[in-house]
Amino acid sequence: MTVMNEVNTLKNYINGEWVSSRGSEILEILNPANKNEVVGRVQQSTAEDAESAIIAAEKAFRSWNKVPSPQRGEYLFKIASLMEEEQEEFARIIVKEEGKTYNDAIKEVQYAAGIVRYYAGEGRRMTGRIIESDMPNVQIETHKEALGVVLVVTPWNFPLSIPAWKIAPAILAGNTVVLKASSETPLTASKFMEVIEKAGVPAGVVNQLIGPGKLVTEMIHHPAVKAITFTGSNRVGRLIYNEAAKDMKRVLLEMGGKNPLIVMEDADIDAAVQLAAAGGFGQTGQACTATGRVIIHKSIVEEFTQKLVARAKEIKIGNGFEEGVEMGPQVNEGERQSTLALVKSAVAEGAMLLTGGGIPEIENGEDGFYVEPTVIGHVTTQMTIAQEEVFGPVISIIEISDIDEAIEKANDIAYGLSAAICTKNISYMNKALSEIQAGIVKVNMTTTGTFFQAPFGGYKESSTGTYKELGSEAIEFYCQNKTRYINSNI
């Protein structure tokens, strides 16, 4: 029986006001740890609502673009401070609608606030350059200009940090934004809009539309939309890319990963086990940088596997608010079934299920979308489980004989987002750093986690590869560079 709590029907945030959708379809947001609890309701938006949001952003751009970037940065400083002040409320919302543990939710809020503060500082570092001219009395200079309205489409797995790392550089550069966040996590996005409103950001600079993904296609083709930034699945990313190409619009896509952790024969096995478990089971494996494959030297595979299996069995699963819980549920039943189906396919193709692979027997477990931490052995690179992104708490073990084979198997994949190697050997480190085909390569660290001052982005089918997110490099996507010639001899 569904518990009908007193929950609000969320509204769109358009032109500085909270307005009801014109749609009639109502979507209920369920707690992934308790599918009987409704935590919010969404009145799905329509094409007319999308048009209103884009028009508001287009109008606001005319004045926002003229605000000096240091002043735009001051708004971001206010947003970051408010996020920190309200981090506990943000965290509670994230746990209730996404299913993270409370500790992971708090970390996400702090990380997101750090991102916003970082870009606030970039407001005083928006510079052009002077170029030597061939002619006397002619000065050549470059100048960064904003694009206009940016459509931001974000996923559910990091419902605050990903909107933050797109919106902050976008508005810092002078653009205005329409956010279409995931329908799975609209409460977090709405709370973010509340903070933006409290910070005094002018009306129309940031707008949020709550609605189905099908609205994105029409929004892409709106003449006022100048760029689209998306994080999510490869399937949706390809659709967005193809639609934007019809109008030759700028696109930034960050998509899937099937990230390898290489463990060489000289590695600290206990440390490597902890890195694998953190990367594969942290966030319930629902991260594009999650460790999906452990590529391990055959001389230590038995000891490593035994310890990883033991660690998986120790993990406490449950509601993210419960003390000691290390792993929460998957976000919905569809994601859980997708994970379980890929585990079954691995066994059918000849892999060995070493632990997990099912629904855990925990108190009130039948009410949530829980999956056991899973380790699969005897995996080969030809198996489906080695090629497809699971997006659940599943680690596949792949044996290798030397560093060359390890890198070959790490690269034998359509994706190239993140990778890591565990070793004390400098030669191994350098070889991995140079030869692994991924946008992020780490040594003796997890495949997950990034520092916001460093650029983020993948190779191959993990990204469009044209621009980066995070770091000062991210601002380039949201700017166009004008070259200006000035003849002063007139």
Side-chain angles (χ1 to χ4, degrees):
M1 180 178 177
T2 302
V3 179
M4 305 298 285
N5 297 322
E6 290 187 12
V7 294
N8 294 326
T9 299
L10 300 181
K11 294 182 178 182
N12 293 324
Y13 183 65
I14 298 176
N15 201 31
E17 297 181 352
W18 296 94
V19 294
S20 296
S21 163
R22 296 176 174 90
S24 58
E25 181 184 356
I26 301 294
L27 178 69
E28 291 185 338
I29 309 303
L30 305 181
N31 182 343
N34 181 6
K35 59 189 177 184
N36 298 313
E37 180 185 357
V38 177
V39 297
R41 295 187 183 87
V42 170
Q43 186 176 350
Q44 294 281 48
S45 295
T46 66
E48 290 77 17
D49 296 313
E51 174 82 7
S52 296
I54 294 170
I55 289 173
E58 182 182 27
K59 182 180 178 181
F61 174 72
R62 299 167 195 161
S63 55
W64 181 249
N65 182 44
K66 295 180 175 66
V67 176
S69 60
Q71 292 183 29
R72 296 194 292 256
E74 289 300 318
Y75 286 105
L76 293 178
F77 277 124
K78 292 176 185 177
I79 293 169
S81 295
L82 287 167
M83 292 170 75
E84 290 167 341
E85 289 174 14
E86 301 188 36
Q87 66 176 343
E88 291 185 5
E89 184 177 352
F90 267 115
R92 285 194 295 270
I93 293 170
I94 291 170
V95 174
K96 279 217 163 189
E97 72 173 353
E98 198 275 347
K100 289 182 194 281
T101 66
Y102 184 76
N103 286 339
D104 282 341
I106 283 287
K107 289 176 183 176
E108 179 174 356
V109 180
Q110 293 171 343
Y111 180 69
I115 291 168
V116 175
R117 181 167 280 110
Y118 171 80
Y119 285 111
E122 287 294 293
R124 296 189 180 277
R125 292 187 286 272
M126 293 281 288
T127 60
R129 63 192 180 103
I130 302 296
I131 300 171
E132 288 296 320
S133 170
D134 289 354
M135 300 169 60
N137 303 314
V138 172
Q139 178 176 300
I140 308 171
E141 62 184 27
T142 63
H143 179 71
K144 294 184 186 300
E145 294 185 345
L147 302 173
V149 178
V150 177
L151 174 58
V152 174
V153 185
T154 58
W156 48 262
N157 58 327
F158 290 95
L160 181 60
S161 57
I162 292 180
W165 85 33
K166 294 177 184 291
I167 291 173
I171 65 174
L172 186 277
N175 302 282
T176 55
V177 164
V178 176
L179 170 65
K180 214 305 284 182
S182 170
S183 296
E184 297 287 347
T185 52
L187 280 78
T188 305
S190 293
K191 176 62 183 175
F192 191 28
M193 294 304 105
E194 288 180 15
V195 164
I196 288 171
E197 183 181 37
K198 286 181 184 178
V201 175
V205 171
V206 180
N207 307 272
Q208 182 205 7
L209 185 75
I210 300 174
K214 64 184 180 183
L215 290 178
V216 172
T217 299
E218 290 186 34
M219 296 170 76
I220 288 171
H221 295 300
H222 194 288
V225 172
K226 304 303 181 184
I228 305 96
T229 175
F230 166 80
T231 298
S233 71
N234 284 66
R235 181 187 65 82
V236 176
R238 285 178 181 276
L239 292 172
I240 288 174
Y241 194 79
N242 289 335
E243 290 299 323
K246 294 176 183 178
D247 298 333
M248 294 191 294
K249 291 189 177 180
R250 185 177 296 200
V251 182
L252 173 59
L253 304 179
E254 289 299 340
M255 299 173 287
K258 188 69 180 178
N259 311 292
L261 173 67
I262 296 173
V263 183
M264 295 306 296
E265 74 276 8
D266 66 318
D268 181 321
I269 293 178
D270 290 334
V273 167
Q274 293 305 314
L275 291 175
F281 305 139
Q283 311 283 347
T284 320
Q286 297 179 135
C288 55
T289 54
T291 303
R293 300 174 292 155
V294 172
I295 299 172
I296 185 165
H297 196 277
K298 63 182 181 180
S299 65
I300 59 170
V301 66
E302 185 175 348
E303 181 182 357
F304 175 91
T305 301
Q306 288 176 352
K307 290 185 175 182
L308 181 61
V309 167
R311 175 70 187 104
K313 291 179 178 178
E314 292 173 351
I315 292 173
K316 184 177 179 180
I317 307 165
N319 188 310
F321 287 118
E322 295 176 7
E323 187 174 351
V325 165
E326 297 176 80
M327 195 180 90
Q330 294 209 245
V331 73
N332 58 38
E333 181 62 19
E335 289 294 331
R336 175 166 71 172
Q337 289 305 319
S338 174
T339 297
L340 296 176
L342 281 167
V343 172
K344 288 181 180 178
S345 77
V347 175
E349 292 175 27
M352 182 178 292
L353 181 61
L354 302 176
T355 190
I359 298 172
E361 296 181 3
I362 58 174
E363 186 177 356
N364 299 320
E366 68 279 2
D367 292 331
F369 307 121
Y370 297 102
V371 174
E372 295 173 307
T374 301
V375 181
I376 303 174
H378 301 291
V379 174
T380 65
T381 56
Q382 293 76 32
M383 293 178 180
T384 305
I385 197 75
Q387 295 293 324
E388 292 190 12
E389 186 177 33
V390 178
F391 230 65
V394 179
I395 295 175
S396 298
I397 305 293
I398 300 173
E399 294 184 34
I400 48 90
S401 300
D402 55 40
I403 185 64
D404 290 323
E405 185 183 6
I407 292 174
E408 179 184 355
K409 290 189 174 180
N411 290 337
D412 186 16
I413 193 77
Y415 302 107
L417 183 53
S418 180
I421 184 170
C422 293
T423 182
K424 302 182 184 74
N425 186 309
I426 296 295
S427 177
Y428 290 169
M429 292 180 193
N430 288 333
K431 195 171 185 65
L433 290 167
S434 299
E435 298 182 15
I436 290 178
Q437 298 165 2
I440 299 169
V441 183
K442 302 179 179 181
V443 176
N444 297 320
M445 298 177 70
T446 63
T447 60
T448 53
T450 56
F451 297 148
F452 48 72
Q453 67 270 33
F456 174 88
Y459 288 3
K460 300 191 279 190
E461 293 185 17
S462 290
S463 172
T464 40
T466 48
Y467 294 94
K468 293 286 189 179
E469 298 201 273
L470 298 180
S472 59
E473 289 84 351
I475 295 174
E476 291 301 318
F477 175 74
Y478 301 101
C479 294
Q480 50 195 347
N481 290 292
K482 178 178 285 184
T483 303
R484 308 194 295 200
Y485 288 76
I486 307 164
N487 183 353
S488 59
N489 195 27
I490 294 179

